[in-house]
Amino acid sequence: MTTTSRTLSCVLVANRGEIARRVFRTARAMGLRTVAVYSDADASAPFVREADVAVRLPGSTPAETYLRADLVVAAAERAGADCVHPGYGFLSENADFARAVEAAGLVFVGPDPGAIEAMGSKLAAKELMDRSGVPILPSVDATGLSGDALAEAADTVGFPLLVKASFGGGGRGMRAVHDPADLVEAVQGAAREAVSAFGDGTVFLERLLERPRHVEVQVFGDRHGTTVALFERECSIQRRHQKVVEEAPSPAVGPELRDRLQEAAVAAARAIDYVGAGTVEFLLDENGDFFFLEMNTRLQVEHPVTEAVTGLDLVRLQFDVAAGRRLPSEARSPTLRGSAIEVRLYAEDPARAWLPQSGRLADFAIAADAEFRTPSGPGIRLDSGVVAGDEVGVHYDPMLAKVIAWAPERSSAALALAGALSRARLHGLVTNRDLLVRVLRFPAFLAGETDTAFLDRHGLGTLAAPLVDEAGLRRHAVVAALAGAALRRSAAPVLAGLPSGWRNNPTGPQTTVFDVGTVHYRLDRTGLTADVDGEPVQLSLLATEVRPVGPGEAGRSCRLDVEADGLRSSYEVRVDGDRCYVDGPEGASTLVEQPRFPDPAAAVQPGSLTAAMPGAVTRVAVAENERVSAGQLVLVLEAMKMEHPVLAPGDGVVQALHVAVGQQVETGAVLAVVSDTETEGNHDAS
C-alpha cells in the first residue's frame, strides 16, 4: 500500500460542539483554513464563531442538518475546502458519506469507505473478527423477530443478554435484559431508538457479561503499510452503556495483557486494511480473557487521554495520514508516560434517572492550563463546546465538555481532576459534576476496582449525592440571603455600603424564603444571627463585595467572606432572577427564591405527570380510564437522542391523556393525569 502525499489547505468539519473546536485547534496550528457547518439551533455556538467560514444547514434536528451528507458535501465545495473531517457521531462512520466526499474530489480525513462498511454493522464485524481469530461473544440477529422466533434466538444467546443496535453507538439503541418477559419491549425500544439516532433499526442479541471491564486499544494505520497500537484505555464507568470516565492506561492491564490486547487490535485493523485513527473495543473479564466488542472507525471522544500519555496529537496524525504521509517515528514506537483521566461533563441529573437538561448556562468556568503540554508535567485540559450564556438545546447529546487531567501516577491524576471539577463554576443547569467528583475520590476507584457495574454496585444514592450536605446547604441559604440583600443595597443612592437589614436597635429578623427553607437573619451591633427553618447557623460576616459579571453572564455577582468556628472562607454568589447560585468550599448549590405571593394559576391538577424537559412523545402505553399500577409505563418521551420512560408514580386511574404520539412538548407541560381517591399528587415525568 503506497501513495503520494498531497498538501491540504482547508478543512470542513462535518460536526459540531467540542469536537469541531478540537479539530479546528489542530487545523489552525497546521496552517489550514477552517470551515464549519451549523444548524439553526447552533447559529450562535462557539464553534461557528471560531471557524474562518461557516455554512448554514437549514433546520435544527440532526436529520435535517448534520446527517444530510448532500448538504455537507455541497457546503465543502462552496467554501473551497479540500478535505472533510467527520469528527465523531453523525456521519463519521457512514461509508456512503465517505464515498460522497471522495466523489466530489475531496479528501476524507478518515478510513476508506470499505473499512467503514466492514465495521459499520456490528454483526458483520463480529463475524469477520471470528474468522480472524479474535475472541467474540455469542450473538444473533433479532431484526424483525417476534414470538417464538425471538424467544428461540434469545435462548441461543442465553440470559442475561444485551439488545444492541447493529449500526449504533454511544449507548443508544441498547437494552440489558435479565428477565425474558422484558425481551419484546427491549427489542422494540432499542429498534425505535436506533432508527431515530442512526436511521437503521437493525438490532441483535448478545451475551451480557455482568461485570466486565471495558478496555479499548487505539490503533493507527497509514498508506505505507504501517499499523500500530497506541496502548489501551479503560472506559468501564458508564451510564446507560455510555462512557462517563475514561483513562489511560488501564489499572487492570499489565505488560503481558497489554501485548495480547494490542496484537488482537492490530490484527483486527489489518484485516480490513485500516487507514487512519480507529479504536478496537474489548470486554475484559476477571480472568483476563477479552472479547471483541466493536471497532469504531473514527476518532474517539476519549482520545485526549491517549494524547496525554503519549504526547501525540491524534488529530494531527489524522491529517498527516489523510495527506498520504507516513506515521512519524514517535507514533511507530510510542512511549507510555504517566496516567491520564477524562470525565464527560453532561447537562443531566444522575439522581433522576440521568434526566437530560436543557436551557441557559448561567455560568461555565473550569480552570485549565492554557498550554497542556503533557507529559512534561501535570495539567488540566478542557475540551468544551459551550461557554457561559449558551443555550443547551434538546436536539443533540447533552455533553457540555470533557475535562482531562494528567499526572505521573493515577491517583494524583484522579485527585487533581476532582479538585478542578469541584472548584468549577457551573450554573443554570443541573450537571453530573458532583457525581464525577465523588467517583474520582471514591476509594474503590482510586484502588482501580472499576468495571461496567461500578455505578450500580456502589449506588447513585452515594455517588450522586450532592457535595453540599444539609448543614452546608443551610449555610449556603444564609449566604445567599445576605448576598441578595447586599446586591439590592448596592443600588441605594445613599449609604450603599451599609448592609441591607442592618439595625442600630433590636428589631425583628429579615426573612428570605428559598426552595430549601426559610432564612431568618439579623445584622446589628452584635453581629449576625441566623437560622434556617429554626436551625441555627453560626456565621460571622467579615466582608461583602459586589462584583461585575463577565461577558455573556447574566444577573449580578457578590463575594462574601465569612468565619465560622475560627475558620474563614469565601463564597461567590450569582443572583439571576429568582435563582441564587452559590459556590463555596463545600461545593456548589442552586437556591430558588420563592415569591412572596404565589400565583394560583401556576398550580396544576393533582396527579399530573409533567414533562421535565422538552421532547417528542414516541409512545403512549395506556388509555384514558385505564387502571395502572405504580411503576407502570404511561408513555415515552424522546429528548437528546435518548428515550425516557414516564412511569405511573402510584396505583391509580388515568384520568386524562393530553398528548399523542409525535407531539412535541415543552418543560412543564401536563402529559397525563393519574390519580386515585386514596393518593394524589403532582409529579415530574422522569
Side-chain angles (χ1 to χ4, degrees):
M1 183 190 303
T2 59
T3 186
T4 56
S5 62
R6 60 179 292 179
T7 300
L8 302 178
S9 61
C10 180
V11 59
L12 179 142
V13 178
N15 221 291
R16 63 178 300 277
E18 63 86 18
I19 186 56
R21 299 179 82 190
R22 163 70 188 94
V23 175
F24 288 163
R25 188 163 64 244
T26 289
R28 285 192 297 268
M30 297 180 71
L32 276 68
R33 194 163 62 95
T34 58
V35 181
V37 287
Y38 66 94
S39 69
D40 291 339
D42 280 337
S44 60
F47 79 94
V48 179
R49 298 194 298 270
E50 292 173 5
D52 294 316
V53 176
V55 182
R56 175 180 176 246
L57 304 178
S60 292
T61 67
E64 296 173 304
T65 55
Y66 300 108
L67 290 174
R68 285 285 302 273
D70 56 336
L71 297 182
V72 173
V73 172
E77 293 178 309
R78 180 180 173 189
D82 52 20
C83 61
V84 174
H85 193 299
Y88 48 70
F90 295 130
L91 295 168
S92 63
E93 295 180 281
N94 186 306
D96 290 338
F97 175 59
R99 290 192 182 96
V101 170
E102 293 179 350
L106 309 175
V107 174
F108 182 72
V109 185
D112 295 330
I116 298 175
E117 212 155 47
M119 291 296 176
S121 166
K122 290 181 173 61
L123 271 172
K126 286 167 68 72
E127 293 170 0
L128 175 60
M129 293 300 100
D130 193 26
R131 293 195 300 270
S132 301
V134 179
I136 64 169
L137 291 166
S139 60
V140 63
D141 190 348
T143 308
L145 297 185
S146 61
D148 292 341
L150 180 60
E152 184 178 339
D155 288 340
T156 301
V157 172
F159 288 91
L161 58 81
L162 268 179
V163 182
K164 300 176 69 174
S166 185
F167 294 89
R172 291 176 289 278
M174 293 180 67
R175 300 287 193 280
V177 182
H178 293 80
D179 187 337
D182 299 328
L183 181 62
V184 173
E185 171 58 30
V187 169
Q188 293 175 349
R192 281 195 307 270
E193 200 166 86
V195 169
S196 173
F198 312 110
D200 191 298
T202 303
V203 294
F204 65 98
L205 312 180
E206 180 179 81
R207 175 76 56 78
L208 174 64
L209 296 181
E210 290 281 23
R211 290 176 52 180
R213 290 178 184 258
H214 184 125
V215 177
E216 61 191 32
V217 177
Q218 176 72 59
V219 295
F220 237 104
D222 64 20
R223 295 192 178 279
H224 300 270
T226 301
T227 307
V228 298
L230 303 177
F231 309 113
E232 84 284 350
R233 299 183 287 257
E234 180 167 334
C235 313
S236 296
I237 298 182
Q238 304 176 5
R239 59 97 168 101
R240 289 180 168 177
H241 307 289
Q242 190 167 37
K243 303 161 187 173
V244 178
V245 181
E246 300 118 334
E247 59 181 305
S250 166
V253 175
E256 187 272 335
L257 179 55
R258 178 170 297 119
D259 288 343
R260 288 195 289 126
L261 284 165
Q262 294 197 127
E263 287 172 7
V266 169
R270 286 178 174 161
I272 56 173
D273 295 325
Y274 195 80
V275 172
T279 298
V280 184
E281 303 195 351
F282 300 97
L283 294 178
L284 176 67
D285 69 18
E286 57 188 7
N287 299 318
D289 296 322
F290 57 86
F291 304 91
F292 174 81
L293 183 61
E294 63 184 7
M295 181 175 183
N296 294 129
T297 54
R298 53 170 169 80
L299 195 69
Q300 291 280 86
V301 178
E302 56 272 22
H303 76 273
V305 294
T306 296
E307 294 183 324
V309 297
T310 63
L312 298 169
D313 183 334
L314 299 191
V315 176
R316 178 180 285 272
L317 294 183
Q318 285 187 295
F319 281 122
D320 285 343
V321 168
R325 291 188 282 273
R326 294 179 182 273
L327 285 170
S329 59
E330 58 267 27
R332 296 195 301 271
S333 300
T335 302
L336 179 64
R337 301 185 185 91
S339 183
I341 303 175
E342 170 184 295
V343 294
R344 302 189 191 188
L345 184 67
Y346 284 102
E348 65 183 12
D349 189 347
R352 297 179 63 198
W354 310 100
L355 189 69
Q357 307 289 301
S358 62
R360 185 177 181 278
L361 276 171
D363 206 350
F364 185 85
I366 303 175
D369 298 324
E371 294 292 333
F372 186 79
R373 298 189 182 279
T374 60
S376 60
I380 300 293
R381 167 175 163 178
L382 174 67
D383 285 12
S384 71
V386 296
V387 296
D390 280 355
E391 287 285 337
V392 177
V394 299
H395 300 292
Y396 314 114
D397 187 275
M399 188 173 75
L400 302 174
K402 304 177 310 193
V403 191
I404 307 99
W406 180 93
E409 49 84 30
R410 183 174 179 272
S411 61
S412 295
L415 296 176
L417 185 52
L421 287 168
S422 65
R423 290 188 294 271
R425 295 200 312 275
L426 306 170
H427 293 299
L429 296 174
V430 176
T431 73
N432 66 337
R433 183 258 300 274
D434 287 8
L435 173 128
L436 297 174
V437 172
R438 288 194 180 277
V439 167
L440 292 166
R441 292 173 174 169
F442 202 70
F445 178 82
L446 293 172
E449 299 168 359
T450 55
D451 55 58
T452 56
F454 185 92
L455 296 181
D456 291 334
R457 183 169 63 259
H458 297 293
L460 293 181
T462 297
L463 295 175
L467 293 176
V468 181
D469 61 16
E470 290 185 6
L473 194 58
R474 288 193 294 271
R475 190 156 49 248
H476 280 208
V478 172
V479 167
L482 294 170
L487 290 170
R488 289 189 294 271
R489 183 66 193 168
S490 67
V494 293
L495 298 178
L498 190 68
S500 177
W502 191 91
R503 295 292 184 268
N504 190 40
N505 298 311
T507 185
Q510 303 291 304
T511 300
T512 305
V513 182
F514 293 109
D515 55 339
V516 299
T518 300
V519 178
H520 304 96
Y521 70 93
R522 288 183 56 229
L523 276 170
D524 57 25
R525 293 176 179 274
T526 63
L528 171 68
T529 56
D531 70 76
V532 179
D533 291 336
E535 190 77 26
V537 177
Q538 302 298 327
L539 281 180
S540 297
L541 181 61
L542 304 178
T544 303
E545 177 189 0
V546 175
R547 303 161 69 95
V549 297
E553 299 175 351
R556 303 182 69 196
S557 183
C558 185
R559 173 191 169 107
L560 286 82
D561 294 334
V562 302
E563 184 175 300
D565 296 326
L567 302 176
R568 178 170 176 163
S569 54
S570 297
Y571 291 83
E572 295 281 346
V573 182
R574 169 80 56 79
V575 178
D576 185 8
D578 61 354
R579 306 272 164 163
C580 296
Y581 306 117
V582 183
D583 289 282
E586 313 90 345
S589 65
T590 298
L591 310 176
V592 182
E593 188 170 355
Q594 303 299 293
R596 295 181 64 189
F597 304 103
D599 181 3
V604 297
Q605 182 179 348
S608 295
L609 297 173
T610 58
M613 73 284 187
V617 179
T618 59
R619 183 183 175 196
V620 176
V622 298
E624 286 191 1
N625 300 317
E626 181 179 335
R627 177 162 284 278
V628 294
S629 56
Q632 182 175 335
L633 181 68
V634 176
L635 54 90
V636 177
L637 276 180
E638 183 186 87
M640 295 181 173
K641 301 193 288 186
M642 298 288 284
E643 287 193 337
H644 305 278
V646 177
L647 309 177
D651 297 344
V653 175
V654 181
Q655 303 289 351
L657 274 173
H658 296 295
V659 294
V661 172
Q663 184 174 338
Q664 287 286 143
V665 297
E666 296 299 322
T667 301
V670 177
L671 308 172
V673 179
V674 177
S675 64
D676 189 270
T677 54
E678 296 179 357
T679 58
E680 291 187 343
N682 302 330
H683 307 275
D684 281 341
S686 60

